[in-house]
Amino acid sequence: MIDRLATMCTSVSAVPSHVLDATRQTLVDTIGAAAAGAATRAGQASLKGAPLIWGPGDCSIWFSRRRSTAVGAAFVNAAYAAALDLDDGHRKASGHPAAAIIPSVLACAEHNGAGADAILTAIALGYEVAVRVSSSREIATLRTTDSGLWCGYGVAAATAWLYGVSAAVMSHALAIAGQTSTSQAATGFTRIGHTVKEGIPWATANGIQAVMLANAGHRGPVDMLDDADTYARTRLVGLPGDAWAIEGAYFKLYSCCRWAHAAIDGALTLQVRMSLSICDIDTILVETFERALSLPNLPDPSTNEAAQYSIPFCIALALVHGEQALLPLKEEHLGDAAVVALARRIRLVSSRNYEHAFPGSTPARVTIAGKGQVDQQEVLSPRGEPLNPLTRDALETKFLALMEKSPFDEKQALALLEAAGRLGIDRKPSDLYAALRACEP
């Protein structure tokens, strides 16, 4: 199957204009998420540590004038993009392709001088491969769906295509990336917040290295996707046709696990409809799909990362401080007495109504009791899903809000928005690279 994925990728020379448009939208969203993520503990540690591992080079580390090798820069930029759980995702994959693929493509494109259309095509192809590999598994039965387990395939496909290697070399790159992917061994066990999270930056670096190693002669287990009991072949092969995976991306308005978003939307709707202050709320019941209960869901998380995986805390934070408190989620709210007290009054239960919802959807029904009232709201598709899409204006508003957390001023933020959003239309890759490092004199 790997050889057929590689043949599919190498047979593509260009993608339709509507795919380019979707790719630009995902590019803008990823850069916005990264701008906020650069200031986090994970972002700063990556900025400090990655150049010590991979050394200097000619590829930009975003939002600075620092440079590293393609692998080093991609690692840092992927760490930025994934740090706050604000990066895009895809329902079929149950995870986050772009936070790995976009940093890898931009780093390698800067290294080899690729043009705008090549950059956008590589991103779309990498996204396609990553989603296909992830969705070919029975996601509902997996121990973990962590993106680091599969997004490296997309990185390897995208960067191998960008470097113009043969289908045979790309096959081995995909196999090496898959065989050496992150283990994510602690997922589902640990209740301690940590900055490794889904392993996206590690899969990003690993995917680029897999291409370099395959091109130098290393060989991978190219039959590793051939097990029909594990990977559904019909989901792996065939040309994309009119519907490309990147066109089905979802985008986030809250920096937390997507499994919490339907419940947050429902709770905010009820708060307005019932005219409730925080003191008025007696209890909140959240009925959702079983897998959502596997998150740590701590009512009083001690780290930003643990808060991102707590449905009660994120609901309470949105109700106490407004949804803008989740764009992004800030450490200053950890330990907030009002938020923690409300989070302790939130109960999560699995609903038989949503027994077969995941991974196709992440619904919730929220019931709030307070002030002598009881009301409920069901949300089947949270905001930002393809069935409940955000407008272009909403996505740009999100981008500019996140840029406020960066060193960029308003003029620089707007220039970056234009450079990414109009890449290949009237903006060149050099415009984008310059805009990404415009924050330093």
Side-chain angles (χ1 to χ4, degrees):
M1 291 296 107
I2 281 181
D3 61 336
R4 294 179 67 175
L5 282 173
T7 299
M8 176 199 79
C9 289
T10 55
S11 70
V12 172
S13 58
V15 298
S17 59
H18 58 89
V19 178
L20 296 177
D21 288 340
T23 305
R24 291 185 189 96
Q25 184 168 264
T26 304
L27 175 62
V28 167
D29 190 75
T30 303
I31 291 172
T40 64
R41 185 179 309 175
Q44 289 298 298
S46 298
L47 178 63
K48 181 179 180 180
L52 298 177
I53 301 169
W54 289 290
D58 57 0
C59 298
S60 300
I61 295 176
W62 299 348
F63 321 117
S64 75
R65 290 200 177 273
R66 303 187 197 188
R67 292 178 178 271
S68 184
T69 62
V71 180
F75 181 95
V76 178
N77 298 334
Y80 291 170
L84 286 163
D85 220 332
L86 265 168
D87 42 326
D88 82 312
H90 200 285
R91 282 268 53 82
K92 288 184 178 179
S94 191
H96 310 284
I101 292 162
I102 286 175
S104 65
V105 169
L106 289 187
C108 292
E110 188 174 15
H111 176 68
N112 79 346
D117 284 354
I119 290 171
L120 296 170
T121 300
I123 292 170
L125 280 171
Y127 206 105
E128 189 73 29
V129 168
V131 171
R132 288 188 184 204
V133 171
S134 181
S135 65
S136 70
R137 310 165 301 162
E138 288 300 325
I139 291 175
T141 65
L142 296 176
R143 177 188 65 85
T144 174
T145 62
D146 283 3
S147 304
L149 296 169
W150 50 266
C151 65
Y153 287 99
V155 170
T159 55
W161 184 91
L162 201 63
Y163 283 125
V165 305
S166 67
V169 170
M170 185 185 291
S171 295
H172 286 287
L174 290 168
I176 293 168
Q179 175 68 5
T180 58
S181 64
T182 57
S183 72
Q184 299 303 112
T187 302
F189 170 77
T190 182
R191 290 293 184 267
I192 302 171
H194 58 90
T195 55
V196 176
K197 294 174 66 181
E198 295 195 34
I200 290 172
W202 285 263
T204 302
N206 197 47
I208 300 173
Q209 291 174 153
V211 174
M212 296 174 175
L213 291 167
N215 204 36
H218 267 284
R219 295 295 175 256
V222 293
D223 60 349
M224 67 181 297
L225 300 182
D226 290 354
D227 181 0
D229 291 333
T230 303
Y231 301 98
R233 298 183 181 186
T234 56
R235 301 176 194 168
L236 281 169
V237 300
L239 290 171
D242 291 332
W244 285 64
I246 200 164
E247 296 180 280
Y250 67 73
F251 300 102
K252 291 182 171 185
L253 289 176
Y254 315 131
S255 63
C256 59
C257 180
R258 188 58 167 178
W259 301 354
H261 286 225
I264 296 169
D265 282 351
L268 288 169
T269 297
L270 288 174
Q271 184 183 37
V272 173
R273 191 162 74 211
M274 298 171 73
S275 300
L276 294 176
S277 69
I278 301 307
C279 297
D280 294 330
I281 298 175
D282 296 324
T283 61
I284 299 177
L285 173 66
V286 177
E287 299 169 83
T288 189
F289 56 102
E290 177 69 28
R291 194 64 176 262
L293 275 62
S294 68
L295 297 175
N297 288 318
L298 302 174
D300 189 8
S302 59
T303 66
N304 192 300
E305 292 77 25
Q308 293 167 24
Y309 297 106
S310 173
I311 297 174
F313 182 83
C314 291
I315 293 172
L317 179 58
L319 291 174
V320 173
H321 292 292
E323 64 181 80
Q324 69 276 4
L326 286 165
L327 192 65
L329 195 159
K330 297 176 282 294
E331 290 194 358
E332 67 193 54
H333 291 304
L334 299 177
D336 184 305
V339 174
V340 172
L342 181 57
R344 295 189 187 282
R345 302 201 296 275
I346 298 174
R347 185 164 67 97
L348 306 181
V349 299
S350 63
S351 170
R352 295 185 65 178
N353 292 333
Y354 309 134
E355 186 175 358
H356 302 294
F358 181 79
S361 63
T362 55
R365 181 168 57 202
V366 182
T367 303
I368 294 183
K371 201 177 169 182
Q373 307 175 69
V374 177
D375 200 356
Q376 65 181 209
Q377 178 69 40
E378 182 178 54
V379 176
L380 298 178
S381 294
R383 288 185 291 170
E385 291 285 335
L387 292 176
N388 188 10
L390 299 177
T391 64
R392 183 177 296 276
D393 285 348
L395 285 167
E396 290 184 358
T397 297
K398 171 189 172 181
F399 177 90
L400 293 174
L402 294 174
M403 293 303 297
E404 292 177 2
K405 317 301 177 186
S406 77
F408 281 53
D409 61 29
E410 183 178 2
K411 182 179 179 180
Q412 291 169 327
L414 288 170
L416 180 53
L417 177 61
E418 285 287 308
R422 299 189 63 81
L423 181 66
I425 300 173
D426 54 16
R427 296 292 187 276
K428 304 184 296 295
S430 58
D431 298 325
L432 179 58
Y433 304 142
L436 280 165
R437 58 179 181 266
C439 61
E440 288 187 357

